[in-house]
Amino acid sequence: MSSDPNPSVRRRTVLGGLVGVGAAVAGCGDDDPPESPAPTSSPSAMESSPTPSDPSATPDMETGQEVVTGLAVPWGLAFLPDGDALVSERGSGRILRVSLSGSEPEEVHRVPDVAPDGEGGLLGLAVSPDYADDEYVYAYFTSDNDNRVVRFRLGEDSQSVFVGIAKANHHNGGRIAFGPDGMLYVATGDAGNTDRSQSPDNPNGKILRLTPEGDPAPGNPNEDSPVYSLGHRNIQGLAWDADERLYASEFGQNDVDEVNLIEPGANYGWPHVEGEGDTDGGRFTNPLATWPTTEASPSGIAIAGETLYMAALRGQRLWTMPVNGDGTLGEPEAIFEGEYGRLRTVEVAPDGALWLATSNTDGRGEVRDGDDRIIRFPAA
């Protein structure tokens, strides 16, 4: 690729091809993605429809129950208003609906034009905050040409929201989430080119803040730009605390991984700084917490009550950190070390339960009987 895609170029036209339950994935080259195993629900986790819980409640991390097994590299996890979960599979392009009602997981959508390669494929999911009215689901995925965000109603055609994020075999970012302000936050990676992270006109190595339609959100540091923060290597997790502060987890390179408190317009230093270092007179912002890459390689994060949870891939553990009143983080503690293998995604459900997805079938983990799986920890 001779030049990076222009972040201002977006298409809101309907993408070709009807998207329906059981439809084939298009745009993946000569070979179709391998057939995924039939996922199954776990009766021990089934219960009545969830009801909203106290937002300050803390999940009971000693009573994990398998919700679903037999998944193929689950990546995105988002909840519908009724408490059912939508789960994306990175390689197949499938989106499954997972319920606590006792029914088997159901394929409810297949995203076309997904081109899985290395760390790319169908990645993050988000559900519109106005889902009761518009029924939109948002997805971040790797196509033949780029990484992009689309939206769709389940079983219907997709609309482009934001296109032109450079892709690569690695560092594709991919986490998306709606913030408390109703805007869509998009985490991107540098796609192997470190210069992109410091370029304010390039969408890679950034957190983007968009309207639901894909325009730069009102109140961004530059009103004509989607960029909310820059200087990132490969953001993998986004979460807000009770005071609406945004935190992000990020892959380091050789030394340390990190969690950052995200401020609008702040520069987090990559590639000039990895982890904590010289701020260049305040130009760069240091992380709140760091880990050796062997103990983390962080992916998704979630905040329940006053605790931040961070899934670790290479580290094969779940890190927990107290969220202090001033936005800092307390001493990290690791749980489930080696118990479930590689951990990809962690999210808080509408009922306050914590859902945790493994990633042992991604070619880098030791596959265990039943992998990949999602474990649910109910609100205490």
Side-chain angles (χ1 to χ4, degrees):
M1 185 177 297
S2 60
S3 62
D4 293 329
N6 187 334
S8 66
V9 178
R10 304 182 189 87
R11 292 182 291 111
R12 295 190 184 87
T13 56
V14 176
L15 299 181
L18 178 65
V19 184
V21 175
V25 176
C28 297
D30 296 331
D31 297 326
D32 291 331
E35 286 297 318
S36 302
T40 59
S41 58
S42 300
S44 62
M46 302 302 107
E47 59 179 34
S48 59
S49 297
T51 56
S53 66
D54 181 351
S56 65
T58 300
D60 182 353
M61 304 307 293
E62 296 184 357
T63 58
Q65 303 165 317
E66 288 186 349
V67 175
V68 58
T69 59
L71 298 171
V73 196
W75 213 102
L77 174 61
F79 293 93
L80 297 171
D82 65 1
D84 285 359
L86 297 178
V87 181
S88 67
E89 290 184 326
R90 188 175 72 183
S92 70
R94 301 194 307 168
I95 295 178
L96 304 173
R97 184 169 185 156
V98 177
S99 173
L100 294 179
S101 66
S103 59
E104 291 300 307
E106 175 191 8
E107 181 181 333
V108 291
H109 197 85
R110 192 171 288 217
V111 178
D113 302 321
V114 173
D117 182 28
E119 296 173 1
L122 178 57
L123 304 176
L125 295 178
V127 171
S128 168
D130 297 321
Y131 186 84
D133 296 321
D134 61 33
E135 297 184 342
Y136 277 126
V137 175
Y138 291 70
Y140 183 114
F141 73 92
T142 311
S143 74
D144 280 332
N145 301 312
D146 61 4
N147 287 301
R148 55 182 53 198
V149 179
V150 297
R151 69 178 183 178
F152 47 83
R153 296 181 177 95
L154 296 175
E156 297 184 7
D157 290 344
S158 299
Q159 303 172 0
S160 292
V161 172
F162 194 94
V163 307
I165 304 166
K167 58 172 274 187
N169 181 266
H170 57 287
H171 301 184
N172 289 293
R175 197 68 63 180
I176 59 176
F178 278 95
D181 56 4
M183 298 296 109
L184 180 65
Y185 291 73
V186 178
T188 71
D190 66 12
N193 183 333
T194 59
D195 291 340
R196 295 174 175 137
S197 297
Q198 290 295 323
S199 172
D201 298 322
N202 191 288
N204 285 82
K206 310 292 189 301
I207 294 177
L208 310 178
R209 181 172 174 266
L210 310 172
T211 67
E213 295 74 30
D215 295 314
N220 278 1
N222 182 335
E223 64 179 3
D224 297 320
S225 171
V227 173
Y228 190 68
S229 64
L230 70 161
H232 300 293
R233 184 171 183 263
N234 192 24
I235 294 280
Q236 291 282 289
L238 299 170
W240 287 263
D241 68 9
D243 292 318
E244 302 186 356
R245 291 175 294 221
L246 173 59
Y247 298 79
S249 58
E250 182 167 351
F251 273 107
Q253 185 175 33
N254 299 317
D255 299 320
V256 294
D257 301 314
E258 55 193 60
V259 165
N260 287 290
L261 176 63
I262 303 300
E263 299 288 352
N267 187 328
Y268 292 85
W270 178 254
H272 304 295
V273 182
E274 179 183 2
E276 187 171 350
D278 184 2
T279 66
D280 191 21
R283 176 185 174 197
F284 303 133
T285 300
N286 274 326
L288 293 180
T290 62
W291 297 260
T293 55
T294 55
E295 297 179 5
S297 294
S299 192
I301 61 173
I303 296 176
E306 297 178 351
T307 301
L308 186 149
Y309 299 85
M310 184 180 81
L313 291 162
R314 185 179 176 188
Q316 298 191 25
R317 66 198 74 181
L318 185 69
W319 285 100
T320 71
M321 289 152 271
V323 178
N324 299 322
D326 61 357
T328 60
L329 298 176
E331 187 69 22
E333 295 185 8
I335 58 176
F336 307 141
E337 187 170 351
E339 186 171 342
Y340 299 113
R342 291 165 60 82
L343 302 180
R344 172 74 63 181
T345 296
V346 58
E347 292 285 354
V348 180
D351 64 353
L354 197 75
W355 290 42
L356 180 65
T358 68
S359 191
N360 295 317
T361 61
D362 62 6
R364 297 180 178 178
E366 178 182 346
V367 180
R368 307 159 188 229
D369 186 33
D371 278 337
D372 272 316
R373 69 194 73 225
I374 294 176
I375 306 101
R376 175 180 179 269
F377 301 90

